[in-house]
């Protein structure tokens, strides 16, 4: 398949996990891929070399998505290096879980800044580029808990609900310029982020999933590929759940 041939994608927080799986899948579909992460390790550079060996252009940028100026500088650099940005995946995210009454201001601010403000920063920076191109697809990585809420994750759930509102508003503001915006709401996906959860919590999650397994980063990458490609040319302002049928 060559669903993304000739397109350039920028994916934040793609040094590992879901973002990295999206970068690989996009490259397999023929896209040129710019990835960012808060730190780019040798292992990430090896991954970039692997993508380049597939015949697409790929490059990694050290960038803090939560920092407005840094995000804008990174977008400028990507546009200069690649000549276009057709797809933006706002994927960078963290958790700092805790019960609301014990949650510190720092826990709240960090999660809102890294998960939600980052998406504003990047969307703000790519908008003029996509408007000039009169096309673009923006994908916000939300979460099922952004829809359902989750005890112990008030900061994270609020940030992910914000990602949905941001995608829907972007779709309304920029649709007339040919720019689409959607959100993906993954359920329980097995990555380093969820590996940090206790075995008990993981068992509880698995028991609630009709498909009886945690999702893989590749499961989410499939949905992202649909939203990035022209297969979804008439899909905008939507939230696609990727959660194995989990009630949410
Ligand atoms: P992960 O922790 O494996 O990867 C996240 C990446 O983001 C890391 O490489 C990290 O260095 C990077 N990052 C963190 N702060 C950053 C910043 N300020 N600027 C740039 N990069 C930064 O996480 P995972 O599981 O791959 O999650 C990816 C996204 O999917 C996140 O937004 C997460 O909230 C969301 N998600 C994950 C679910 C899961 O079950 N794993 C479920 C629902 C949503």
């Amino acid at each position: 398949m060559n669903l993304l041939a000739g397109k350039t994608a920028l994916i934040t927080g793609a040094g590992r996990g879901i973002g990295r799986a999206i970068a690989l899948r996009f490259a397999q579909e023929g896209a040129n891929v710019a990835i960012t992460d808060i730190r780019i390790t040798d292992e990430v550079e090896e991954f970039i070399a692997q993508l380049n060996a597939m015949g697409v252009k790929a490059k990694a940028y050290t960038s803090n998505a939560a920092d407005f100026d840094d995000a804008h500088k990174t977008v400028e650099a990507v546009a200069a290096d690649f000549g276009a940005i057709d797809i933006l995946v706002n994927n960078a995210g963290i958790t700092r879980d805790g019960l609301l009454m014990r949650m510190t201001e720092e826990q709240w601010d960090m999660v809102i800044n890294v998960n939600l403000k980052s998406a504003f920063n990047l969307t703000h920076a790519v908008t003029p580029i996509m408007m000039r191109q009169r096309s673009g697809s923006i994908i916000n990585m939300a979460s099922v808990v952004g829809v359902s809420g989750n005890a112990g994750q008030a900061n994270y759930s609020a940030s992910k609900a914000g990602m949905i509102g941001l995608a829907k508003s972007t779709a309304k503001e920029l649709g007339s310029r040919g720019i689409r915006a959607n959100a993906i709401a993954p359920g329980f996906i097995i990555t380093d982020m969820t590996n940090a959860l206790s075995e008990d919590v993981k068992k509880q999650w698995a028991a609630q999933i009709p498909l009886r397994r945690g999702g893989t980063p590749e499961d989410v990458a499939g949905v992202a590929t649909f939203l990035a490609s022209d297969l979804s040319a008439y899909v905008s302002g939507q939230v696609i759940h990727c959660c194995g049928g989990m009630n949410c």
Side-chain angles (χ1 to χ4, degrees):
M1 281 191 291
N2 231 359
L3 288 171
L4 303 176
K7 293 188 193 280
T8 293
L10 168 57
I11 308 159
T12 65
R16 67 180 200 186
I18 291 171
R20 180 178 172 138
I22 292 172
L24 177 61
R25 182 66 199 274
F26 280 11
Q28 286 167 343
E29 297 291 347
N32 296 319
V33 179
I35 72 164
T36 78
D37 211 291
I38 195 90
R39 60 188 168 275
I40 300 296
T41 58
D42 290 348
E43 207 265 328
V44 174
E45 289 295 2
E46 276 167 34
F47 172 61
I48 291 294
Q50 182 197 334
L51 298 186
N52 276 301
M54 290 163 61
V56 300
K57 180 179 163 85
K59 193 170 170 181
Y61 300 80
T62 303
S63 175
N64 178 4
D67 183 298
F68 185 83
D69 291 337
D70 197 356
H72 281 72
K73 277 187 201 133
T74 303
V75 166
E76 268 171 42
V78 172
D81 290 344
F82 287 79
I85 300 177
D86 304 292
I87 302 154
L88 167 65
V89 185
N90 286 312
N91 170 77
I94 57 168
T95 51
R96 292 290 182 275
D97 297 349
L99 293 174
L100 189 53
M101 59 184 285
R102 288 199 207 118
M103 187 172 288
T104 63
E105 184 182 7
E106 191 194 3
Q107 279 174 299
W108 175 268
D109 286 345
M110 272 198 82
V111 168
I112 297 296
N113 286 339
V114 174
N115 294 10
L116 177 58
K117 187 184 174 209
S118 61
F120 163 70
N121 293 341
L122 272 293
T123 301
H124 189 269
V126 302
T127 297
I129 296 167
M130 289 185 173
M131 279 172 70
R132 272 197 301 278
Q133 294 171 178
R134 296 202 67 79
S135 73
S137 174
I138 298 171
I139 301 166
N140 285 355
M141 201 56 68
S143 165
V144 290
V145 303
V147 177
S148 64
N150 197 23
Q153 288 197 308
N155 50 359
Y156 184 80
S157 304
S159 74
K160 295 304 186 182
M163 290 290 263
I164 292 171
L166 178 62
K168 285 177 179 280
S169 301
T170 306
K172 289 198 165 149
E173 270 191 40
L174 300 179
S176 63
R177 310 302 184 104
I179 300 169
R180 300 184 292 110
N182 293 285
I184 302 176
F188 181 72
I189 309 298
I190 302 156
T191 66
D192 292 324
M193 181 184 271
T194 43
N195 264 340
L197 296 170
S198 72
E199 285 307 314
D200 270 1
V201 173
K202 285 191 223 173
K203 274 190 198 141
Q204 275 173 28
W205 275 95
Q208 292 167 28
I209 301 171
L211 288 181
R212 292 289 181 270
R213 66 171 178 89
T216 62
E218 291 73 27
D219 289 323
V220 182
V223 180
T225 303
F226 167 69
L227 289 175
S229 78
D230 294 340
L231 285 178
S232 60
Y234 203 53
V235 179
S236 197
Q238 303 305 307
V239 186
I240 301 187
H241 290 234
C242 179
C243 60
M246 190 169 60
N247 192 17
C248 54

